Amino acid sequence: MRSPKDFFAPLAVGAPAPVREIPASPSRMIHFFDPSNEKMAAKVPDLAAKTDVLLGNLEDAVRADRKEAARAGLVSIAKATDFGATQLWTRVNSLDSPWVLDDLITLVTEIGDKLDVIMVPKVEGAQDIHYVDRLLAQLEARAGLRRPLLVHAILETASGVANVEEIAGASPRMQGISLGPADLAASRRMKTTRVGGGHPGYLVRSDPAGDDLHSGRTTYQQDLWHYTVARMVDACVLHGILPYYGPFGDIRDVVACEDQFRNAYLLGCVGAWSLHPVQIDIAKRVFSPEPKDVAWARRVIAAMGDGTGAVMIDGKMQDDASVKQCRVVAELADALAA
Ligand code: GLV
Ligand code: MG
């Protein structure tokens, strides 16, 4: 049995072993664009200045007869654009499609030095990551690339969710995992036709008031994605990679989008996808800790001294565990300020 680190061995004779580094720069929003759409492509330099990650999408939402144009468009945009500190990612076609082999060969050969992360859709298990990992190693060696490309899996099949721990640990190239709620809903035969977010029928109802069973009862919508996001976060933490919420398709419903992103943030996700510039701002706001939370965290850290024991602050007990929670918030604020 090969260990995951064997899949990272350099193919070139005498080459030093490459080191995996998840980019330290933030990735609060992964902004999708269609490189076959000339109007969208023209906006890339502007968007690159606004987003943490820009992703050239080749998979779903690109028509079958536009796949080649999208691939070629991404190559020319990547060559012509200075992305500065913004990371450039791509989402290639799925491993069972007729396009993915050419996607990987072309992108690694032509713009492998510009790309940071390759997002792989519909990952079912570790075998899918092993396949991409070996192919990337061959293509990187042939192209003479010294910096290994990283891999990001979309969790969007029932079998992917069942295998999420092995996917997260399948290769040192793994950068992170995103929830793909649309494909996952279809794979699980859930009865929602929405792309991400909740559903008005998925609710709990308060107890009846008095004898009247139907009046005065409040309903609360529940989070359809709570279980999967929590499971994905645990798998990512276990293997030291980053979890993300995926798409929120109702662009006009900025309130529900913000609520969904915040649920994911509070559960441990570091970012979400953005399908429209308006969602860039939502994700930036949600995935950056609020100043009042940062101030509170710093107060607790200062009061806790060496981080052991217990203190009372504003009537709330703080101890070794709560100071660790506060460090998560303070460290995120420091990383974003750097
Ligand atoms: C994303 O790809 C999704 O299917 O939700
Ligand atoms: Mg999908």
Side-chain angles (χ1 to χ4, degrees), residues 103-165:
D103 290 346
L104 290 169
I105 292 173
T106 305
L107 297 182
V108 179
T109 308
E110 299 282 336
I111 54 167
D113 55 338
K114 285 241 163 157
L115 278 175
D116 293 289
V117 175
I118 296 187
M119 185 182 271
V120 182
K122 301 176 179 65
V123 172
E124 305 261 4
Q127 70 280 4
D128 291 341
I129 302 298
H130 294 165
Y131 170 79
V132 173
D133 181 278
R134 292 302 276 164
L135 192 51
L136 288 179
Q138 293 164 8
L139 295 170
E140 286 164 349
R142 196 176 68 171
L145 296 176
R146 307 297 328 143
R147 190 180 58 132
L149 285 155
L150 299 182
V151 171
H152 180 111
I154 312 180
L155 199 60
E156 53 182 350
T157 67
S159 102
V161 176
N163 295 323
V164 65
E165 285 87 2

Side-chain angles (χ1 to χ4, degrees), residues 91 156 180-183 247 273:
R91 177 170 77 166
E156 53 182 350
D183 271 300
W273 300 5

Side-chain angles (χ1 to χ4, degrees), residues 11 24 41 95 102 113 136 156 172 175-176 213 234 240 269 278 285 308:
L11 294 184
L95 297 180
D102 287 332
D113 55 338
L136 288 179
E156 53 182 350
Q175 175 275 344
L213 286 184
D234 285 347
C269 288
V278 76
R285 184 161 62 245
T308 65

Side-chain angles (χ1 to χ4, degrees), residues 194-318:
R194 298 175 171 204
V195 175
H199 191 288
Y202 192 68
L203 52 79
V204 287
R205 206 180 289 280
S206 67
D207 278 345
D211 293 338
D212 180 355
L213 286 184
H214 297 291
S215 70
R217 298 178 72 176
T218 314
T219 59
Y220 302 91
Q221 211 181 101
Q222 300 188 89
D223 184 352
L224 276 176
W225 307 106
H226 177 272
Y227 157 77
T228 316
V229 171
R231 187 158 178 196
M232 177 181 75
V233 168
D234 285 347
C236 288
V237 171
L238 178 67
H239 291 285
I241 66 171
L242 304 177
Y244 299 80
Y245 191 83
F248 188 91
D250 189 345
I251 307 297
R252 284 168 314 173
D253 195 346
V254 291
V255 172
C257 177
E258 178 152 349
D259 288 348
Q260 182 72 80
F261 285 5
R262 185 159 289 107
N263 284 356
Y265 168 72
L266 290 169
L267 281 177
C269 288
V270 302
W273 300 5
S274 150
L275 305 182
H276 183 280
V278 76
Q279 295 184 341
I280 294 180
D281 296 329
I282 297 173
K284 190 173 281 179
R285 184 161 62 245
V286 169
F287 290 98
S288 311
E290 290 201 27
K292 71 170 172 29
D293 295 338
V294 179
W296 168 260
R298 295 204 198 285
R299 220 178 127 197
V300 173
I301 292 167
M304 278 294 294
D306 72 353
T308 65
V311 293
M312 291 294 280
I313 305 181
D314 295 349
K316 300 186 184 75
M317 190 280 300
Q318 309 299 327

